[in-house]
Amino acid sequence: MAKTPAKPPTPKAAPAKVAKPTKPEPAKVAKGKAPPPPPPPPAPEKARTVTINQMATAYAEKHEISRKDAASLLAEVFDTVAQHVKDGDRVRIAGLGMIEVRSRAARIGSNPATGEAIQ
């Protein structure tokens, strides 16, 4: 019987090397110089102003009443709140907060046109 040539051994596949995450190198700073300041954060968007008429229109559509009736109702509510605050009361509105008048000591300011000191 003839001998068959032996097959060469198959090389085992080496396990795949996984690259280790590298840390970013800190910015190199020359001696005696401060690193550059970080960029400023983006400016916040300006809040829009909502008027009583706009609130009345939205309220009228939501509750299916006339805009005139809604405006009258809101005006009455705000007048009532203002009167209570003028009388020295605190008004608590759930979800909004407390509305009150606080006395504070006068401070010295200046008239921008003349530079005169004023209270």
Side-chain angles (χ1 to χ4, degrees), residues 13 15 33 36 41 49-50 53 65 72 77 82 88-89 91 97 101 109 111 118:
K33 292 188 177 181
T49 302
V50 180
N53 286 334
I65 60 175
S72 156
V77 167
D89 298 332
V91 178
V101 174
N111 182 339
I118 56 173

Side-chain angles (χ1 to χ4, degrees), residues 28-73:
K28 294 181 182 179
V29 179
K31 285 187 178 182
K33 292 188 177 181
E45 291 185 27
K46 188 175 179 182
R48 65 187 181 109
T49 302
V50 180
T51 65
I52 292 177
N53 286 334
Q54 291 170 330
M55 288 192 293
T57 301
Y59 189 79
E61 289 173 2
K62 183 176 181 180
H63 295 284
E64 299 177 356
I65 60 175
S66 71
R67 196 199 64 75
K68 185 176 179 180
D69 289 343
S72 156
L73 179 67

Side-chain angles (χ1 to χ4, degrees), residues 1-5:
M1 207 164 150
K3 286 188 177 180
T4 58

